[in-house]
C-alpha cells in the first residue's frame, strides 16, 4: 500500500514536471512564432469539449456566431486582420453541423430557397468569365456564401420562439455597449 502511494506520488511529480517543461517550451516558441499557440489552443479545446454532446456545441457556437458577427473586426486575430472570430466560428459550425444528427423533415421548407441560392451562386461563378476583376468577384461570392450560411443557420437554429427570444437578448448586449459608450462621450 505504501509503495503504491509512493509510486503514484512519483508519477504525479513527473507529470507536473513534464507539464511545467511543456509550458516553458510553448512560451519560448510562441515568443518567436506566435501562431504556434494556435494548435496548442485547438488541442486544449478539443480535450475540454470531448465529453460535451455535438448538439450542445453547435447550439453554443451559433450564439458565438451571432455575437461575433456584430463585433466583427474587434474580434480579429492579432496580426491577421482579415481573420475574424466570426469566420472561424462559422466555418467550425458548418463542419460540426454536417456531422450532427439532424431531423431532415425540417429541411423540407428549405428546398426551394436552397435551389434558388444554388442557381444564384452558379450564375455568380459563371460571371467570373467576363469579370473585370476576378479576385474581387471571388471575394463577393465568398461574402454571399458567408451571409447565406448565417441566414441558413439562423433559420435552422431558431425553429422555436424561445430560441429566437434568446437570440434577440444575446444580440442586444453587444449593440447596447457601443451605444452606451457613444452617449457617455
Amino acid at each position: 500500500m505504501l509503495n503504491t502511494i509512493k509510486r503514484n506520488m512519483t508519477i504525479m511529480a513527473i507529470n507536473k514536471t513534464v507539464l511545467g517543461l511543456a509550458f516553458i517550451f510553448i512560451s519560448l516558441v510562441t515568443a518567436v512564432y506566435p501562431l504556434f499557440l494556435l494548435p496548442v489552443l485547438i488541442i486544449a479545446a478539443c480535450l475540454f469539449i470531448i465529453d460535451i454532446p455535438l448538439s450542445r456545441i453547435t447550439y453554443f457556437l451559433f450564439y458565438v456566431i451571432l455575437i461575433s458577427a456584430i463585433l466583427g473586426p474587434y474580434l480579429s486575430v492579432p496580426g491577421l486582420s482579415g481573420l475574424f472570430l466570426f469566420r472561424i466560428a462559422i466555418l467550425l459550425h458548418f463542419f460540426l453541423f454536417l456531422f450532427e444528427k439532424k431531423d431532415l423533415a425540417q429541411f423540407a421548407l428549405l428546398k426551394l430557397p436552397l435551389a434558388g441560392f444554388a442557381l444564384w451562386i452558379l450564375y455568380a461563378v459563371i460571371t467570373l468569365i467576363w469579370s473585370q476583376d476576378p479576385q474581387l468577384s471571388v471575394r463577393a461570392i465568398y461574402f454571399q456564401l458567408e451571409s447565406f450560411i448565417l441566414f441558413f443557420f439562423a433559420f435552422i437554429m431558431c425553429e422555436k420562439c424561445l430560441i429566437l427570444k434568446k437570440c434577440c437578448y444575446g444580440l442586444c448586449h453587444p449593440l447596447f455597449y457601443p451605444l452606451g459608450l457613444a452617449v457617455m462621450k
Side-chain angles (χ1 to χ4, degrees), residues 14-28:
I14 292 171
N15 286 343
K16 287 181 182 178
T17 305
V18 169
L19 188 63
L21 290 173
F23 276 120
I24 291 170
F25 174 74
I26 290 169
S27 63
L28 290 174

Side-chain angles (χ1 to χ4, degrees), residues 50-107:
I50 200 161
D51 293 332
I52 301 173
L54 195 58
S55 60
R56 289 192 77 180
I57 294 171
T58 55
Y59 185 75
F60 172 75
L61 207 51
F62 176 68
Y63 289 110
V64 170
I65 289 171
L66 288 179
I67 292 170
S68 65
I70 292 170
L71 296 176
Y74 296 114
L75 300 174
S76 66
V77 175
L80 300 171
S81 60
L83 189 58
F84 308 133
L85 177 63
F86 172 74
R87 291 181 179 164
I88 296 169
I90 204 163
L91 186 66
L92 183 62
H93 189 278
F94 179 73
F95 285 117
L96 290 177
F97 182 77
L98 289 178
F99 293 113
E100 182 183 8
K101 292 181 182 178
K102 298 173 265 321
D103 179 24
L104 296 178
Q106 69 184 12
F107 295 114

